């Protein structure tokens, strides 16, 4: 039999939407609330090193969760017929979305002392990004709706879901990640001026 695994990856996007706030909400907000962030910065670490450490740790955790689904394509290749290109392209897209969501979550965690607020901000931002992806479908002739949907993580994910790995989508994700990591560093640097 010939299998289509795109529903698996669409469901995994919902998983990313709900799990990312839980993974990232305590990364910096709890450090700020407990006062341990000052101890963290008395160590010979820069703001970039702290930010990248938190980001990489959370991203590795998300990657392990994504890797737990690798049994599905394994059994599909073993017992059925499936095109490998879309599967590996979808996994790449999913990891890029996870990286983007985690970078946004780290930023949200850096701007508040409350982990609950950080979780809600992350969830709200990711949900807003998902809603932006619907605008192009609701109003296909509206150029503003098309522009707004191009700002969505999920629109770029859908483009890569079929296995079409486009450099503009990869560049979008990498720019998104860098922007929010840079914003997090700026927030952490601003503590020096308080």
């Amino acid at each position: 039999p010939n299998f289509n695994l795109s529903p698996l990856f669409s469901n995994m996007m919902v998983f990313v939407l709900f799990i990312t706030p839980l993974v990232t909400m305590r990364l910096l907000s709890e450090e700020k609330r407990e006062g341990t962030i000052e101890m963290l910065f008395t160590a010979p670490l820069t703001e970039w090193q702290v930010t990248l450490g938190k980001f990489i740790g959370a991203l590795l955790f998300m990657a392990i969760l994504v890797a737990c689904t690798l049994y599905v394509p394994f059994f599909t290749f073993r017992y059925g017929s499936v095109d490998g290109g879309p599967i590996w392209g979808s996994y790449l897209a999913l990891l890029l979305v996870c990286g983007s969501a985690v970078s946004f979550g780290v930023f949200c965690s850096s701007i508040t002392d409350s982990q609950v607020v950080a979780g809600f901000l992350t969830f709200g931002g990711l949900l807003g990004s998902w809603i932006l992806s619907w605008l192009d479908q609701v109003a296909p002739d509206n150029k503003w709706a098309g522009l707004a949907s191009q700002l969505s993580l999920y629109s770029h994910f859908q483009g890569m879901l079929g296995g079409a790995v486009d450099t503009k989508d990869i560049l979008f994700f990498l720019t998104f990640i860098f922007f929010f990591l840079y914003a997090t560093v700026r927030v952490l640097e601003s503590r020096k001026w308080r």
Side-chain angles (χ1 to χ4, degrees):
N2 194 5
F3 294 105
N4 179 11
L5 296 182
S6 58
L8 169 73
F9 295 104
S10 296
N11 290 336
M12 289 169 71
M13 286 303 300
V14 176
F15 174 78
V16 169
L17 175 68
F18 286 102
I19 294 297
T20 303
L22 298 174
V23 171
T24 61
M25 66 185 189
R26 292 187 69 176
L27 290 178
L28 290 167
S29 61
E30 192 70 10
E31 299 254 13
K32 290 168 81 176
R33 190 177 71 76
E34 296 287 329
T36 56
I37 197 157
E38 294 305 323
M39 185 173 62
L40 185 66
F41 284 116
T42 57
L45 297 172
T46 66
E47 286 82 2
W48 270 108
Q49 290 170 328
V50 170
T51 301
L52 287 175
K54 299 284 187 178
F55 169 75
I56 291 170
L59 182 59
L60 283 176
F61 180 77
M62 294 291 285
I64 290 169
L65 294 178
V66 168
C68 289
T69 65
L70 285 172
Y71 72 92
V72 176
F74 172 76
F75 283 115
T76 305
F77 285 127
R78 179 91 169 101
Y79 299 109
S81 172
V82 68
D83 185 12
I87 291 176
W88 304 123
S90 297
Y91 270 111
L92 173 65
L94 190 62
L95 288 175
L96 287 169
V97 168
C98 284
S100 300
V102 166
S103 70
F104 180 69
V106 171
F107 169 73
C108 290
S109 182
S110 73
I111 60 175
T112 181
D113 293 346
S114 169
Q115 62 182 352
V116 175
V117 172
F120 277 113
L121 285 173
T122 304
F123 179 77
L126 294 177
L127 183 63
S129 179
W130 198 343
I131 291 170
L132 280 177
S133 70
W134 301 342
L135 291 178
D136 201 24
Q137 298 166 358
V138 173
D141 296 332
N142 188 330
K143 68 177 180 176
W144 294 109
L147 178 65
S149 76
Q150 286 303 308
L151 297 175
S152 169
L153 296 174
Y154 303 98
S155 292
H156 292 275
F157 173 76
Q158 290 295 339
M160 294 177 73
L161 189 58
V165 178
D166 194 352
T167 53
K168 74 175 178 61
D169 294 325
I170 293 173
L171 186 61
F172 172 82
F173 287 122
L174 295 178
T175 304
F176 190 95
I177 291 168
F178 177 78
F179 174 80
F180 280 105
L181 290 179
Y182 178 76
T184 302
V185 169
R186 300 301 295 172
V187 169
L188 293 178
E189 286 175 346
S190 72
R191 85 189 193 294
K192 295 176 182 174
W193 307 107
R194 289 187 210 154

